[in-house]
Amino acid sequence: AAGVIQSPRHLIKEKRETATLKCYPIPRHDTVYWYQQGPGQDPQFLISFYEKMQSDKGSIPDRFSAQQFSDYHSELNMSSLELGDSALYFCASSPWDGELFFGEGSRLTVL
Amino acid sequence: QQPVQSPQAVILREGEDAVINCSSSKALYSVHWYRQKHGEAPVFLMILLKGGEQKGHEKISASFNEKKQQSSLYLTASQLSYSGTYFCGTGIRSQGNLIFGKGTKLSVKP
């Protein structure tokens, strides 16, 4: 069965650079979520989209933005990267009132 | 508001049982349970919705007390593969985002 696809799996950037993460949800799932997870931490909700419209916003810095495109894939754009942005970024998708299916995550390292 | 999980950590011998609790100060629409192994994505275990609907894996059971905004995950006859960090995620409305608790680290020893 198709799963949530995230790319890239690993990303190394310098401070103040920009990074873009991509997420391809499971077909026919109408909601996409982005979570940030630091080492040993719980996943922190960043933002979600329902049917390509932003539905919820969590602790997402102003330096970050996200969108969902007509083909339902989503991108998380991060600018002016800081050391503290180093984390595992998960994308998840879900059907209506269903469980979240997580991608394998994109590990961002900011040097 | 972040749900509170307890205990923070638990160590079991194979075959023993454990209960992990999750409580929220907000009226909940849903409670989800996930298990995460180090460096991997969280994996779905159970979803409990307001009104009593539940869905999850056969070997996992959980309860949801809507009046108290509390949920418990019951792990019975634990196996080595049960080791990992268990997160509850709470939602306050239909198809809303989940806020995860800080997790409960479960270690199952032979």
Side-chain angles (χ1 to χ4, degrees), chain B residues 36-61:
Chain B
Q36 186 178 31
K37 295 186 183 282
H38 182 70
E40 299 180 5
V43 173
F44 169 75
L45 297 175
M46 176 72 72
I47 181 173
L48 306 102
L49 298 178
K50 182 179 179 179
E53 185 179 344
Q54 294 187 5
K55 186 174 90 166
H57 293 286
E58 290 179 1
K59 295 185 178 180
I60 302 287
S61 64

Side-chain angles (χ1 to χ4, degrees), chain A residues 30-31 33 35 37 41-45 50 55-56 90 94-100 102-104, chain B residues 2 29 32 34 36 39-42 44 47 49 55 87 93-102:
Chain A
D30 49 27
T31 306
Y33 310 80
Y35 284 87
Q37 189 175 31
Q41 304 293 314
D42 51 284
Q44 293 287 314
F45 171 69
Y50 170 67
S55 54
D56 283 308
F90 287 108
S94 73
W96 181 261
D97 269 356
E99 67 266 35
L100 273 60
F102 285 83
E104 294 187 331
Chain B
Q2 187 172 37
Y29 175 81
H32 295 222
Y34 294 81
Q36 186 178 31
E40 299 180 5
F44 169 75
I47 181 173
L49 298 178
K55 186 174 90 166
F87 291 101
R93 60 176 173 78
S94 174
Q95 203 62 4
N97 62 288
L98 295 182
I99 302 299
F100 287 95
K102 291 192 180 296

Side-chain angles (χ1 to χ4, degrees), chain B residues 9 11 20 46 61 64 81 87 105:
Chain B
I11 299 175
I20 301 173
M46 176 72 72
S61 64
F64 178 22
S81 61
F87 291 101
K105 188 171 182 179

